[in-house]
Amino acid sequence: MKLLPIITIALTLTLLGGCQQSLKWMRLDGSSADEARLEQARKACRIDIKLAGVERAEAERDEKIKKSSTNQSKMLAKEDYDSIRRQVYREIDTCMNKQGYKR
């Protein structure tokens, strides 16, 4: 039972390290991205809005954790946030891929 929190922490740290808000993009062919076209793609994919949503979800998670009285409710709040975060980054990656970019 002690393994689950350790795995959750490790997964969270990995996601945080790999998915920073200053996402680095390159063309699908590996060439460097033209800044003007990259900015158009970022706007088309609404990246800033989606990342702001992740920040709001993080703040809500922190508030739920503070109010939680049990470890189970804290873990549920963390899992909900992780699920939202994964979905948002998946949406961003899919959209940017359609625009011709990858991380």
Side-chain angles (χ1 to χ4, degrees):
M1 205 55 170
K2 291 182 180 184
L3 187 59
L4 182 61
I6 293 170
I7 292 172
T8 303
I9 291 170
L11 179 61
T12 302
L13 291 174
T14 302
L15 286 173
L16 289 175
C19 302
Q20 296 297 320
Q21 283 198 359
S22 58
L23 300 174
K24 304 291 182 197
W25 298 100
M26 66 175 61
R27 301 282 311 155
L28 290 176
D29 63 4
S31 63
S32 61
D34 173 41
E35 288 301 318
R37 288 186 179 158
L38 178 60
E39 189 59 33
Q40 287 178 334
R42 291 174 64 96
K43 285 181 182 179
C45 293
R46 302 173 32 186
I47 289 178
D48 293 335
I49 294 169
K50 290 178 181 182
L51 292 178
V54 170
E55 286 182 15
R56 281 191 305 276
E58 184 177 16
E60 289 174 12
R61 177 206 62 194
D62 293 344
E63 191 63 32
K64 286 179 184 178
I65 289 173
K66 286 180 187 177
K67 292 180 180 180
S68 296
S69 59
T70 66
N71 284 338
Q72 183 180 9
S73 58
K74 289 178 184 180
M75 289 302 295
L76 286 174
K78 290 176 184 178
E79 289 173 5
D80 288 344
Y81 168 74
D82 288 342
S83 174
I84 290 168
R85 184 178 174 84
R86 280 191 303 273
Q87 180 178 347
V88 168
Y89 277 95
R90 191 176 314 120
E91 289 173 9
I92 290 171
D93 287 342
T94 301
C95 182
M96 288 298 283
N97 191 278
K98 288 178 183 176
Q99 299 290 326
Y101 295 93
K102 65 180 180 178
R103 278 196 278 160

